[in-house]
């Protein structure tokens, strides 16, 4: 009988081993691809998918091979989806704290741009004047963007653009976007606009001192020095002229500024904010909106269109901006970015002067809180733009409209009480 039991035990043991090995095989089949396997898949993708498309667009085999010589996927880049894995909705940013917009204008940051801009305004005065004459964009705007983007060229571009763009085109969460940019980067080399070795970028694939994506390089880069090709990595005149050309292409209106800081009476609803609710500046003035410096709006501006901008609703400075402000935003689609550039440019040109209005006690929420508020407003029929956890102008004015309809003071900015009520 004992022998019979031993046989059973041996059989169970062997069965357990077999099950264990089967589990290992299954896990191995479903596990994320190893780095070596990803490399092989990347090389296969290059040859079987990307090369035919590049060839059809006029890219030579020589250029293609030179661009990807020794290139492997950089698995340390953000927003990647490894082969064998499914894309998931990123949650980390929704758990990030959302603070006061005023933090974006920390004096350490803006002061460095202003000081650096003033120094370079002196050393590049004739170049800036000539560029402004050609493109219509004031030199202080160009300096502010140059300083904000790369610290006037001090920020080095540590990545190979083909490594970054290739990795992201192969397996990022925005593969189609990066595939377009990768093909544009190949076109830059093919046309002799930059050699492969010069194609250095940021972690996002942005090139040179102006931080142009390759498609923007092809559209906007200027060989201002007359060298035949735009060197936005090393040439200051090319960098400044390329930024000016970019803004000019997006509609910079020569002779107009970006806008004015103003005071907005309580009788004027903060929900009137936005680039789709413009009025003649004379109309804003007739509603009681005034410049904070006490000066009247320039006579040349009164018949022109302006837009209300209140980045923190009633809890921060307010502005009447011109279409040029929204041209600045084409560089980076953020109200705060546009305002940073505009404010830094003013200080470069006219001296230190902070905003007259102060940033109130706003913030302290998580982006997930604001996203929940946005979804609640969407459910009520409001257009918040996107439930992304960031209170853009559509979210701000939707908040103000809801508050007014529900007997609350219109602040046009999220707070903890509002989140609790609407959630």
């Amino acid at each position: 009988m004992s022998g019979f039991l031993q046989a059973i035990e041996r059989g169970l043991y062997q069965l357990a081993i077999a099950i264990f090995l089967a589990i290992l095989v299954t896990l191995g089949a479903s596990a994320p691809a190893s780095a070596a396997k990803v490399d092989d898949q990347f090389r296969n993708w290059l040859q079987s998918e990307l090369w035919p498309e590049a060839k059809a667009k006029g890219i030579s085999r020589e250029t293609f091979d030179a661009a990807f010589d020794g290139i492997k996927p950089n698995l340390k880049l953000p927003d990647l989806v490894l082969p064998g894995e499914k894309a998931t909705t990123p949650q980390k940013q929704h758990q990030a704290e959302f603070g006061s917009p005023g933090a974006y204008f920390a004096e350490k940051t803006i002061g460095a741009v202003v000081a650096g801009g003033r120094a370079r305004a002196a050393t590049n005065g004739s170049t800036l004047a000539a560029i402004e004459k050609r493109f219509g964009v004031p030199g202080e705007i160009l300096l502010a963007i140059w300083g904000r983007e790369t610290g006037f060229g001090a920020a080095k571009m540590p990545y190979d653009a083909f490594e970054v763009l290739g990795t992201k085109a192969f397996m990022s969460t925005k593969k189609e976007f990066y595939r377009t940019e990768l093909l544009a980067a190949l076109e830059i080399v093919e046309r002799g606009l930059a050699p492969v070795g010069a194609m250095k970028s940021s972690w996002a694939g942005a090139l040179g001192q102006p931080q142009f994506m390759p498609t923007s390089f092809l559209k906007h880069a200027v060989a201002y020095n007359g060298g035949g090709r735009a060197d936005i990595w090393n040439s200051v005149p090319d960098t400044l002229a390329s930024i000016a050309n970019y803004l000019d292409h997006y509609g910079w209106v020569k002779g107009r500024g970006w806008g004015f800081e103003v005071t907005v009476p309580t009788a004027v609803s903060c929900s009137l904010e936005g680039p789709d609710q413009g009025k003649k500046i004379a109309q804003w003035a007739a509603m009681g909106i005034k410049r904070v410096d006490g000066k009247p709006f320039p006579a040349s501006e009164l018949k022109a269109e302006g837009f209300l901008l209140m980045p923190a609703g009633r809890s921060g400075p307010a502005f009447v901006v011109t279409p040029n402000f929204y041209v600045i935003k084409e560089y980076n689609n953020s109200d705060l970015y546009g305002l940073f550039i505009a404010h830094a440019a003013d200080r470069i040109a006219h001296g230190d002067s902070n905003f007259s209005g102060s940033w109130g006690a706003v913030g302290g929420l998580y982006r997930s809180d604001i996203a929940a508020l946005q979804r609640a407003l969407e459910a009520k029929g409001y257009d918040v733009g996107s439930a992304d956890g960031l209170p853009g102008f559509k979210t701000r004015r939707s908040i103000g409209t809801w508050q007014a309809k529900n007997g609350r003071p219109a602040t046009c900015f999220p707070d903890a009480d509002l989140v609790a009520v609407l959630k």
Side-chain angles (χ1 to χ4, degrees):
M1 189 69 173
S2 61
F4 177 70
L5 291 173
Q6 288 175 350
I8 291 176
E9 288 176 355
R10 283 196 301 272
L12 291 173
Y13 176 76
Q14 291 169 349
L15 178 62
I17 291 295
I19 292 172
F20 177 70
L21 291 173
I23 291 172
L24 287 181
V25 170
T26 302
L27 288 174
S30 62
S34 66
K37 186 176 181 180
V38 171
D39 290 349
D40 291 340
Q41 291 172 321
F42 177 69
R43 302 308 301 186
N44 180 64
W45 172 80
L46 285 176
Q47 301 307 323
S48 64
E49 293 192 38
L50 189 67
W51 164 241
E53 187 174 358
K55 182 180 179 181
K57 291 183 177 295
I59 307 301
S60 68
R61 189 77 218 194
E62 180 183 8
T63 293
F64 191 86
D65 289 345
F68 295 107
D69 183 28
I71 295 296
K72 294 182 178 181
N74 184 341
L75 303 185
K76 295 181 180 179
L77 294 173
D79 302 322
L80 301 182
V81 181
L82 293 174
E85 292 188 355
K86 294 182 179 180
T88 57
T89 302
Q91 297 296 324
K92 185 175 181 180
Q93 76 269 25
H94 291 299
Q95 295 307 316
E97 288 189 17
F98 182 82
S100 167
Y104 197 89
F105 303 92
E107 185 58 31
K108 181 179 180 181
T109 304
I110 201 166
V113 171
V114 171
R118 287 177 184 162
R120 286 158 181 82
T123 56
N124 297 279
S126 60
T127 298
L128 288 165
I131 290 173
E132 181 172 357
K133 183 177 180 180
R134 176 175 169 182
F135 297 102
V137 184
E140 58 266 24
I141 294 288
L142 307 180
L143 291 167
I145 291 175
W146 183 27
R148 176 69 184 182
E149 292 297 322
T150 58
F152 307 101
K156 302 304 178 185
M157 299 295 105
Y159 293 95
D160 183 302
F162 291 105
E163 175 190 83
V164 171
L165 297 171
T167 300
K168 288 180 170 285
F170 175 55
M171 59 181 190
S172 80
T173 56
K174 298 193 294 183
K175 289 193 288 188
E176 291 307 312
F177 169 83
Y178 282 104
R179 189 178 184 122
T180 298
E181 296 297 341
L182 178 56
L183 290 165
L186 288 167
E187 184 180 345
I188 290 171
V189 176
E190 182 67 32
R191 289 170 53 183
L193 302 176
V196 168
M199 295 289 284
K200 300 299 182 183
S201 76
S202 70
W203 62 266
L207 306 172
Q209 297 187 45
Q211 286 292 272
F212 280 175
M213 295 303 290
T215 53
S216 289
F217 180 100
L218 290 172
K219 294 175 185 175
H220 309 300
V222 173
Y224 190 77
N225 274 340
R229 66 187 188 193
D231 184 0
I232 62 171
W233 291 270
N234 302 295
S235 168
V236 170
D238 285 6
T239 294
L240 293 170
S242 296
I243 296 171
N245 193 38
Y246 184 102
L247 298 176
D248 179 46
H249 281 177
Y250 277 104
W252 185 273
V253 181
K254 186 177 182 179
R256 293 195 77 183
W258 66 268
F260 312 89
E261 187 180 356
V262 298
T263 57
V264 180
T266 55
V268 177
S269 174
C270 51
S271 65
L272 292 175
E273 183 185 6
D276 54 351
Q277 298 192 101
K279 299 179 185 294
K280 291 181 179 180
I281 289 181
Q283 292 176 290
W284 291 118
M287 296 167 69
I289 292 177
K290 298 179 181 179
R291 293 175 63 179
V292 295
D293 59 10
K295 298 178 182 178
F297 290 104
S300 59
E301 289 284 340
L302 292 176
K303 293 183 180 180
E305 191 173 32
F307 312 89
L308 188 61
L309 173 71
M310 301 179 73
R314 288 285 179 184
S315 298
F319 308 87
V320 168
V321 299
T322 74
N324 284 341
F325 176 82
Y326 294 102
V327 174
I328 295 173
K329 278 188 64 178
E330 292 289 346
Y331 220 95
N332 183 326
N333 189 24
S334 159
D335 286 338
L336 296 183
Y337 177 89
L339 193 55
F340 182 102
I341 297 303
H343 184 53
D346 279 356
R347 289 176 56 173
I348 290 170
H350 306 300
D352 284 318
S353 178
N354 287 323
F355 296 123
S356 177
S358 59
W359 302 95
V362 294
L365 296 171
Y366 290 104
R367 283 187 59 179
S368 55
D369 294 326
I370 298 173
L373 182 151
Q374 289 169 321
R375 288 191 293 270
L377 286 169
E378 282 182 330
K380 296 179 183 296
Y382 291 90
D383 178 10
V384 300
S386 175
D388 58 1
L390 296 173
F393 76 89
K394 288 186 176 180
T395 295
R396 297 194 294 267
R397 69 189 187 189
S398 293
I399 289 172
T401 301
W402 182 89
Q403 288 170 321
K405 285 183 177 179
N406 287 272
R408 293 168 170 259
T411 65
C412 293
F413 209 74
D415 58 51
D417 177 63
L418 188 64
V419 169
V421 169
L422 281 169
K423 284 174 67 175

